[in-house]
Amino acid sequence: MDPSKIYNPKTLSQLTKLSPKVDWDLLVTRLLPSTAPHQDVIIVSSPSYLEKLSAEVLAQSTQRTIQAYLLWRVINEYAPALSEEIRKPLQRLTAKLRGTNAKVTKPRWETCLDQVDLSLGFIAGRYFVMEKFRPETKARADEFVKAIKESFLNRLPELEWLDEATRKHAIEKVDALVRKVGYPTKSPNVMSPVALSDYYSELVIDGDDFFGNYLRGRQWLVMKDWRQAGKPTDKSTWEMTPATVNAYYNPPYNEIVFPAGILQSPFFSGEYPDYLNYGGIGAVVGHELSHSFDNNGRHFDAKGRLSEWWTKETLEAFEKKTSCFVDQYGNFTMEDESGDPIHVNGQLTLGENVADNGGIRQSYVAWKRHYDKNKDGKENMLLPGLENITPEQLFFINYGRIWCGKSTKAQAKQSILVDEHSPPKWRVIGALQNSKYFAEVFKCPAGSPMNPVDKCDLW
């Protein structure tokens, strides 16, 4: 994705002319809070989509068809929160698409927990943090982020394909990178009951009205976003709640964010030796940091502004190097329901593959630098029963472990078609095929599948 192509400011009149079958003025007026300043300019991410939606879909469809589609969207959104009788048909459809058994359903407690996290995730996150995320864990995780950031900075002078002007800006961007670990301390402050009370003051929760809570929670989330219209950006906000098992890089904020939920086993533990933690959460940290220089993140500068700060020569070298990843991952396949091979989309998954490869490299280098200085330290103690496996090997073994998973062939096919991530199997194999350190540690013969002669290399 090229972010510069999705930044298209349009006035409401221009938008109406582009897509006349939608009453944009009515839509914005209804959603915009009465206290918000009037908004006449909207950022349109895909003008061609809206143009074709109006001309080729809405203009050529009957009113009944459009109403049926909108009704289906409502059903699809609300059915999971209603009775089993209403959920069953949707479960059968989902099972058919994923190749699973329609009789196997998610336990009700998981559904309820999902809704609590969606609507009250920061309140629930407070209790999760108090139970599962000690202050010393946060401090240690912070050190991991700092070490991998340093590793990335040390790598930049080694890259011959970067010219000096671009390298200078790249260093500035890494230096300016904001890191958020564990939970937000503003907007809201998760550890402050007063701050949480104020944050959720306009959300009404009734202990005897699950579906009402479901509706009000979604309405509150939508209105919370619309209330930001016309206001300065609040860069202290988080896009994920503390208990979320995920992480992200946010280009306009130039920040990497790691909720307390992913700072748990198997990614991270205060009880793990460093080689396991660096092979787990360390690779994730490096992954998110590398996103700031992938085919998407590279368009943003140190302050998060859309800016073409790369020279033409460096950009040409970058595109040549990334084409290697497109070809490599495009040769990986999974089987569909019929047993036929379906190829990974190397272009769709490029950003994530670049981040995986950069992440594992930066994490290994960061860990090895510390390990070589203190091999006998308690933070790198050998695990009982695994004395015949070296810490270097366990680093990579844990990297493979964090992506362990299982899916049906139908689900694997669906993921390949729409997911910007490669299948977990190829996330591991692809990154390790390109790692010279993996080949050294496991003594893979040159030219073997896990040590190809022509490795893809970027960050």
Side-chain angles (χ1 to χ4, degrees):
M1 180 181 69
D2 183 348
S4 64
K5 293 180 181 179
I6 64 174
Y7 184 79
N8 304 284
K10 301 285 184 185
T11 64
L12 286 175
S13 59
Q14 289 173 330
L15 190 53
T16 299
K17 184 177 180 180
L18 177 73
S19 185
K21 286 296 181 179
V22 178
D23 191 335
W24 296 101
D25 187 68
L26 176 64
L27 180 65
V28 172
T29 301
R30 289 290 181 88
L31 288 172
L32 194 67
S34 58
T35 56
H38 176 70
Q39 301 296 308
D40 188 51
V41 177
I42 293 178
I43 308 302
V44 180
S45 59
S46 180
S48 61
Y49 169 81
L50 293 182
E51 184 178 19
K52 291 179 180 178
L53 171 68
S54 190
E56 300 179 15
V57 178
L58 298 180
Q60 299 179 29
S61 300
T62 65
Q63 188 176 50
R64 183 178 178 84
T65 298
I66 296 171
Q67 289 174 337
Y69 172 76
L70 294 175
L71 181 59
W72 163 246
R73 295 296 301 177
V74 172
I75 292 170
N76 192 46
E77 177 67 25
Y78 290 165
L82 293 170
S83 66
E84 184 175 0
E85 180 183 3
I86 296 175
R87 296 199 313 271
K88 280 295 183 183
L90 188 61
Q91 289 171 355
R92 289 197 295 271
L93 173 62
T94 302
K96 186 69 174 177
L97 292 173
R98 295 180 178 176
T100 56
N101 187 343
K103 295 181 180 180
V104 179
T105 60
K106 181 189 291 188
R108 191 62 177 168
W109 67 266
E110 285 192 22
T111 298
C112 294
L113 189 62
D114 288 344
Q115 298 313 313
V116 169
D117 185 65
L118 182 65
S119 298
L120 297 168
F122 291 115
I123 289 179
R126 167 183 167 82
Y127 293 100
F128 178 82
V129 167
M130 292 170 64
E131 179 72 22
K132 294 291 185 179
F133 197 65
R134 300 189 300 269
E136 56 268 30
T137 304
K138 186 178 189 305
R140 192 175 181 199
D142 244 330
E143 288 300 317
F144 275 57
V145 179
K146 288 171 60 179
I148 292 167
K149 180 178 176 180
E150 181 182 344
S151 174
F152 197 93
L153 282 171
N154 292 338
R155 167 74 165 159
L156 291 175
E158 301 174 1
L159 301 175
E160 296 180 357
W161 61 272
L162 272 180
D163 62 41
E164 286 307 314
T166 307
R167 194 191 322 274
K168 178 183 176 182
H169 288 300
I171 292 172
E172 290 174 356
K173 186 170 183 179
V174 178
D175 282 336
L177 186 72
V178 175
R179 64 180 186 272
K180 295 179 178 177
V181 177
Y183 51 88
T185 54
K186 294 180 180 178
S187 302
N189 180 353
V190 163
M191 303 313 291
S192 167
V194 175
L196 288 170
S197 177
D198 181 63
Y199 184 79
Y200 288 106
S201 61
E202 296 183 358
L203 176 59
V204 177
I205 298 295
D206 184 342
D208 296 319
D209 185 14
F210 174 78
F211 188 67
N213 293 335
Y214 177 92
L215 292 179
R216 288 188 292 272
R218 275 154 182 73
Q219 292 167 354
W220 175 79
L221 285 169
V222 170
M223 294 313 299
K224 184 167 68 70
D225 286 341
W226 275 89
R227 286 192 186 96
Q228 294 302 311
K231 296 181 180 179
T233 300
D234 182 0
K235 292 192 174 183
S236 67
T237 58
W238 283 47
E239 295 179 4
M240 293 178 180
T241 60
T244 303
V245 184
N246 208 337
Y248 65 92
Y249 170 70
N250 186 356
Y253 292 15
N254 192 29
E255 65 178 10
I256 48 177
V257 185
F258 307 96
I262 201 170
L263 293 165
Q264 311 290 324
S265 178
F267 293 94
F268 177 84
S269 171
E271 306 300 320
Y272 280 179
D274 274 357
Y275 48 82
L276 294 186
N277 280 331
Y278 273 96
I281 196 62
V284 175
V285 171
H287 172 103
E288 300 304 338
L289 197 159
S290 296
H291 267 316
S292 62
F293 297 97
D294 67 12
N295 53 313
N296 177 19
R298 71 164 189 84
H299 291 277
F300 297 83
D301 65 13
K303 294 184 178 180
R305 300 170 302 194
L306 270 175
S307 173
E308 290 302 327
W309 51 275
W310 294 50
T311 63
K312 180 182 177 181
E313 293 75 19
T314 290
L315 180 55
E316 289 175 351
F318 174 85
E319 291 177 344
K320 182 178 180 180
K321 283 183 166 292
T322 55
S323 67
C324 178
F325 292 98
V326 174
D327 295 339
Q328 177 192 16
Y329 284 81
N331 283 321
F332 295 148
T333 62
M334 301 290 284
E335 284 189 356
D336 65 14
E337 308 95 313
S338 303
D340 296 324
I342 177 170
H343 285 259
V344 174
N345 186 329
Q347 189 62 55
L348 173 66
T349 58
L350 176 59
E352 296 298 331
N353 298 334
V354 166
D356 280 343
N357 280 264
I360 191 70
R361 186 192 194 286
Q362 304 312 326
S363 185
Y364 183 81
V365 171
W367 166 71
K368 198 69 166 62
R369 185 172 62 251
H370 288 283
Y371 175 67
D372 288 344
K373 292 178 181 177
N374 187 23
K375 292 187 176 182
D376 297 323
K378 65 178 182 179
E379 66 271 19
N380 282 301
M381 58 186 173
L382 297 177
L383 295 175
L386 297 176
E387 292 86 357
N388 292 330
I389 305 177
T390 68
E392 289 87 351
Q393 290 172 331
L394 286 169
F395 171 96
F396 289 107
I397 289 172
N398 200 45
Y399 177 71
R401 186 171 75 120
I402 65 174
W403 298 121
C404 285
K406 188 176 182 180
S407 66
T408 63
K409 291 182 177 180
Q411 179 64 49
K413 176 182 177 181
Q414 187 179 40
S415 295
I416 281 181
L417 294 175
V418 302
D419 194 349
E420 66 270 22
H421 300 86
S422 295
K425 170 183 176 180
W426 297 118
R427 292 189 72 170
V428 176
I429 293 177
L432 298 187
Q433 279 185 346
N434 294 323
S435 172
K436 66 176 183 179
Y437 301 110
F438 175 84
E440 292 170 0
V441 165
F442 284 93
K443 298 179 174 59
C444 303
S448 65
M450 292 309 294
N451 187 15
V453 175
D454 297 321
K455 292 180 169 60
C456 299
D457 180 53
L458 190 62
W459 300 113

